[in-house]
Amino acid sequence: MESQLVVSSIWEDESLFEISIFGSNGQFSGQADCYTNREEIDLLGKLLEKFPRNTKDEFEFKSRSTPDLSYFSIHAFCIDNSGHTMFAVTIAHIESFTNVRNENYKVNFDMKVEPQAICNFGMQLQRLAVNPLGKTKAVLKNAL
């Protein structure tokens, strides 16, 4: 199994944009449906399109998170002078129910990624942020 992150849109109303995120580093994987908004996804896409600017560049992104909502986070930083990047990814699937046990699953994994793949993923996220629901997927695959 190859390393990848896949983001797609699945639902929205006036204030929320729900995405599905699947991630795997080949050994560990997770999937969650997370609430965010189109502006947050567009901002992440713009950030990734130009990341990294130099070998000391790093960033951290976290979708909306509360103790009872699913979320994902990415901490990215360069690992060498060629700009190869490590993504430290967390995907948490959290659902609360009234009369049954809550679901609370979380996966953490690292994923090595090349700069051009990050740029392409950023552009795909920007398209996801403006396109109709279910029409676009943003896919980041490990090329290392």
Side-chain angles (χ1 to χ4, degrees), residues 4-5 8 26 36-37 42 51-53 56 59 63 65-66 70 72 76 79 89 91 97 105-106 111 116 123 137 140:
Q4 63 179 339
L5 284 177
S8 57
T36 182
N37 59 52
D42 184 55
F51 184 83
R53 292 178 192 254
K56 297 198 185 316
F59 80 90
S63 69
S65 71
T66 63
S70 298
F72 76 98
I79 55 174
V89 178
I91 299 173
F97 304 100
Y105 310 107
K106 183 166 43 168
M111 180 177 171
Q116 188 59 47
M123 291 187 292
K137 280 186 180 178
L140 174 65

Side-chain angles (χ1 to χ4, degrees), residues 58-76:
E58 69 178 274
F59 80 90
E60 190 155 352
F61 172 86
K62 189 171 193 178
S63 69
R64 294 181 184 201
S65 71
T66 63
D68 59 344
L69 289 178
S70 298
Y71 68 91
F72 76 98
S73 68
I74 301 169
H75 177 215

Side-chain angles (χ1 to χ4, degrees), residues 77-133:
F77 51 93
C78 292
I79 55 174
D80 62 27
N81 289 330
S82 297
H84 292 112
T85 302
M86 181 72 73
F87 274 26
V89 178
T90 298
I91 299 173
H93 169 80
I94 303 167
E95 286 193 36
S96 300
F97 304 100
T98 8
N99 294 322
V100 293
R101 184 177 172 186
N102 293 344
E103 293 180 11
N104 191 340
Y105 310 107
K106 183 166 43 168
V107 64
N108 298 300
F109 60 86
D110 292 342
M111 180 177 171
K112 293 180 184 175
V113 190
E114 289 187 356
Q116 188 59 47
I118 298 168
C119 175
N120 292 339
F121 185 57
M123 291 187 292
Q124 292 171 19
L125 285 171
Q126 290 173 67
R127 284 193 294 274
L128 178 80
V130 297
N131 285 345
L133 291 176

